Structure formats: C-alpha cells, structure tokens
C-alpha cells in the first residue's frame, strides 16, 4: 500500500496542525487570563466602593459648607443691624451719664 501525498495534502496537514497549535495557545491564554480578569473585577469593586465613599464625603462637605456659609451670612447681617442698635444704646448710655453728671454738678 502506497499512499502518495500531494503538495496540497501536505499543505492541508500543516494548516490543520497550525490550527490545533493555535487552539492550544488560545486555551492557555484564556487559562492565564481568567485569574487576571478576576483580580481586575475585585480591583474595580474596590474602586467603586472608594469612589462611593468619596462622593458621599464630598456631598456632606458641600452641605456643611453651604450651612456654614448661610450661618456666616446671617451672623453678618445680624451684626450689621445690631451695630446701629449697639451704637444707639451706647449714645443713650452716654447721654444718661452726661445727664447724671449734669444733675450732680447742679446739686453742688
């Protein structure tokens, strides 16, 4: 029994062997890629948690800054309004003290 292999048949055999070899490389690649993908998924979950915490902190900080800004604005307005009141009370006190001194001088 003689079998003759033509160049076309040899080429097909080489292509078949190349496909089998490529299949083994792909299997090894996927086998090595799976742990990397799992590690990447874990890292992404950690990043998601950290960014969520940072977003919550930024939201709380924004709320605090807004509250402090409003409080400072209100205190500033109150002090501006009270400045004229304090000035009036001071002038009234000074006038009463001057009147008292005037009455004391008249008694002498």
């Amino acid at each position: 029994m003689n079998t003759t292999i033509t160049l076309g048949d040899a080429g097909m055999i080489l292509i078949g062997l190349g496909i089998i070899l490529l299949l083994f490389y792909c299997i090894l690649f996927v086998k090595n890629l799976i742990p990397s993908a799992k590690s990447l998924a874990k890292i992404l979950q950690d990043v998601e948690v950290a960014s969520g915490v940072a977003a919550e902190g930024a939201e709380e900080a924004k709320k605090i800054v807004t509250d402090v800004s409003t409080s400072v604005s209100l205190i500033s307005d109150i002090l501006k309004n009270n400045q004229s009141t304090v000035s009036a009370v001071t002038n009234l006190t000074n006038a009463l003290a001057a009147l008292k001194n005037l009455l004391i001088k008249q008694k002498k």
Side-chain angles (χ1 to χ4, degrees), residues 2-3 14 22 31 36-37 39 44 58 61 63 84 88 93 97 104 106:
N2 288 336
T3 325
L14 287 175
L22 182 64
K31 181 182 172 188
S36 299
S39 297
L44 289 176
K63 183 180 176 186
S84 60
T93 305
I104 290 174
Q106 282 183 356

Side-chain angles (χ1 to χ4, degrees), residues 1-12:
M1 256 209 258
N2 288 336
T3 325
T4 55
I5 299 177
T6 63
L7 288 176
D9 292 337
M12 293 298 280

Side-chain angles (χ1 to χ4, degrees), residues 55-66:
E56 289 174 7
E59 194 68 33
E60 289 177 10
K62 180 181 176 185
K63 183 180 176 186
I64 290 170
V65 167
T66 303

Side-chain angles (χ1 to χ4, degrees), residues 75-88:
I75 290 171
S76 174
D77 289 342
I78 289 170
L79 288 176
K80 285 179 184 177
N81 292 337
N82 282 344
Q83 186 176 8
S84 60
T85 305
V86 169
S87 177

Side-chain angles (χ1 to χ4, degrees), residues 12-37:
M12 293 298 280
I13 291 171
L14 287 175
I15 289 174
L17 289 174
I19 289 174
I20 291 172
L21 186 64
L22 182 64
L23 183 64
F24 283 126
Y25 278 127
C26 288
I27 290 171
L28 287 175
F29 176 72
V30 170
K31 181 182 172 188
N32 291 331
L33 185 65
I34 289 173
S36 299

Side-chain angles (χ1 to χ4, degrees), residues 18 25 40 42-43 47-48 51 54-55 64 66 74 78-79 91 98 105 108:
Y25 278 127
L40 181 62
K42 184 179 178 185
I43 290 170
V47 167
E48 183 179 353
S51 64
I64 290 170
T66 303
L74 289 174
I78 289 170
L79 288 176
N91 289 337
K105 285 182 184 178
K108 289 183 182 179

